[in-house]
Amino acid sequence: MENEFALLNQFLEEMGPEVIGHESLPVTDEQLDLIKRFVSGSLSAKDRESLLPTLIENEQALHDLVAAIKSRQS
């Protein structure tokens, strides 16, 4: 699991400033559930792959991912 977070961290660092320019749409309940399951480590490989475009294209989804990670660390 730590390796997945390291990979995610590397991905987000590489995306850096470009993410700021992406559209911020409301995240659906289904997308939010996928994000929470991803953070908890219970998301299948297929669902992780389907979540990636949402994280790349939607700034709000990235904010929700960071919030979910922070809340899990608290």
Side-chain angles (χ1 to χ4, degrees):
M1 186 69 178
E2 288 182 35
N3 187 34
E4 289 181 359
F5 281 117
L7 183 62
L8 175 63
N9 185 48
Q10 179 183 357
F11 166 76
L12 293 175
E13 285 179 0
E14 290 174 8
M15 292 300 293
E18 292 182 31
V19 173
I20 301 301
H22 291 159
E23 192 168 9
S24 184
L25 300 171
V27 176
T28 67
D29 290 340
E30 180 182 341
Q31 291 168 327
L32 190 55
D33 180 58
L34 288 173
I35 290 169
K36 289 177 180 178
R37 288 178 30 218
F38 173 71
V39 170
S40 72
S42 63
L43 197 60
S44 70
K46 180 182 174 187
D47 286 338
R48 285 194 307 264
E49 189 174 318
S50 72
L51 179 60
L52 185 58
T54 300
L55 296 174
I56 291 171
E57 297 168 0
N58 189 339
E59 184 179 354
Q60 183 58 49
L62 280 176
H63 287 288
D64 290 340
L65 175 64
V66 170
I69 292 170
K70 285 181 178 180
S71 70
R72 184 155 170 91
Q73 292 175 343
S74 298

